[in-house]
Amino acid sequence: MALETHVHQARTRAQAEWEAVDAKVDAYDAFIGRVTNLPTAPAPSATPRATAAAGTLARGGSATDDRCRRVRKAFAETVRPHSIDDVDDPESVLETVQSEFSDSVAAALAPTTETSFTPELKRVVVSVASTRRTETKVLRRALAREDDRLERAGETVDDVVEWITRANETPLSDLGFAALRRRHESLAQHRERCEQLARRRQEFVRGTTNEGVDAGIRHQRLVSYLYEDFPVAFPVLATVARLDAVCATCQRAVRQHLVRRV
């Protein structure tokens, strides 16, 4: 049976986060579709009181109020459940809109602002939501790459641990000189695998996952975010270092037996 290590725990975390992010991408798809299909308000005939980045502020009738309300409702039913830890959180829908989009979008959609749901406001809401969807897709892709790296790291760790477990079933005192030399060489090969794994991991952590030129996520930031409550900051490197240390200890024991046989 494979030993549960920080690598395996990290993969469980990464997979759970990937599933959550994948669901959020779907939520953005649904929200954008619903807003895209909403009709806009006719252009106001009176001179507007102010123009915000997210739309024109003007006295709106019940139809205008209903359009903004439908945008808020669409957000509450699609994106919001994937933006907070608890759907019963006291944070208001507009507070979540503010954190997901911007202050101006939240203000434009607020019922107290009396914003007209103009084509410009609709364009801004769809544009901002599309940008957030792209960023979320980048995060999903980075998590998929992290899961792939963790799977391969876990396979290497399992191979080495299983070899050590099997090898330790035979005491060193029962091995001849040639068998001891083979065990020492095998341990050296496993230490080399650990070194290669650590090197590949460091290269990955220093890298970035990009989506064109508009969005990207640094893996260092991803790792810090994923494993912030783990007992170790870098699960793969910590596991590899521990495994290499075990192999080194085994090698020293084998060398002591070899010296005695000379």
Side-chain angles (χ1 to χ4, degrees):
M1 183 175 64
L3 177 69
E4 182 73 9
T5 68
H6 292 309
V7 173
H8 300 89
Q9 295 163 2
R11 192 176 184 210
T12 298
R13 171 68 59 81
Q15 289 178 333
E17 191 65 21
W18 187 93
E19 292 174 0
V21 170
D22 186 54
K24 191 170 185 179
V25 170
D26 290 342
Y28 270 118
D29 286 338
F31 174 75
I32 292 169
R34 287 171 65 170
V35 174
T36 299
N37 291 328
L38 274 179
T40 56
S45 57
T47 302
R49 292 188 289 108
T51 299
T56 301
L57 304 182
R59 289 284 178 182
S62 59
T64 295
D65 294 340
D66 182 65
R67 291 183 182 97
C68 287
R69 181 190 64 78
R70 289 166 69 183
V71 174
R72 296 194 301 270
K73 185 173 185 290
F75 182 88
E77 293 176 350
T78 57
V79 178
R80 186 175 187 270
H82 303 279
S83 301
I84 54 178
D85 295 331
D86 185 354
V87 292
D88 296 322
D89 192 288
E91 177 179 280
S92 70
V93 171
L94 285 173
E95 286 176 320
T96 311
V97 170
Q98 183 181 34
S99 63
E100 282 288 327
F101 296 157
S102 68
D103 293 347
S104 60
V105 171
L109 295 176
T112 55
T113 309
E114 299 178 338
T115 306
S116 176
F117 190 64
T118 62
E120 174 64 12
L121 175 53
K122 178 177 180 177
R123 184 194 66 77
V124 170
V125 171
V126 171
S127 176
V128 172
S130 297
T131 297
R132 292 290 290 121
R133 178 178 60 183
T134 297
E135 294 170 350
T136 308
K137 284 183 175 180
V138 174
L139 177 56
R140 180 177 64 181
R141 184 178 167 212
L143 286 166
R145 294 181 66 189
E146 170 72 351
D147 179 64
D148 177 67
R149 297 320 191 271
L150 291 173
E151 180 181 19
R152 285 188 274 174
E155 290 172 353
T156 297
V157 169
D158 287 345
D159 284 348
V160 176
V161 169
E162 289 172 7
W163 182 90
I164 293 174
T165 301
R166 289 195 307 271
N168 285 343
E169 292 175 356
T170 303
L172 296 178
S173 57
D174 290 352
L175 298 178
F177 189 84
L180 287 170
R181 287 190 59 182
R182 287 194 298 271
R183 180 173 293 195
H184 192 276
E185 292 170 358
S186 294
L187 285 165
Q189 292 171 358
H190 289 311
R191 294 192 68 186
E192 176 62 23
R193 294 180 70 189
C194 287
E195 182 179 342
Q196 292 174 355
L197 176 56
R199 186 164 54 249
R200 290 194 301 269
R201 183 60 179 175
Q202 289 170 331
E203 292 172 354
F204 176 77
V205 171
R206 287 195 294 265
T208 305
T209 292
N210 294 302
E211 184 71 24
V213 297
D214 298 325
I217 181 168
R218 295 179 61 83
H219 298 157
Q220 174 72 62
R221 181 181 176 187
L222 175 70
V223 169
S224 298
Y225 148 73
L226 272 178
Y227 313 123
E228 60 182 352
D229 61 348
F230 267 44
V232 293
F234 299 97
V236 175
L237 294 177
T239 299
V240 171
R242 180 184 175 191
L243 190 55
D244 179 71
V246 170
C247 289
T249 299
C250 291
Q251 271 192 312
R252 285 194 295 271
V254 172
R255 282 197 296 271
Q256 290 173 358
H257 278 264
L258 282 170
V259 169
R260 293 172 192 157
R261 308 294 174 86
V262 174

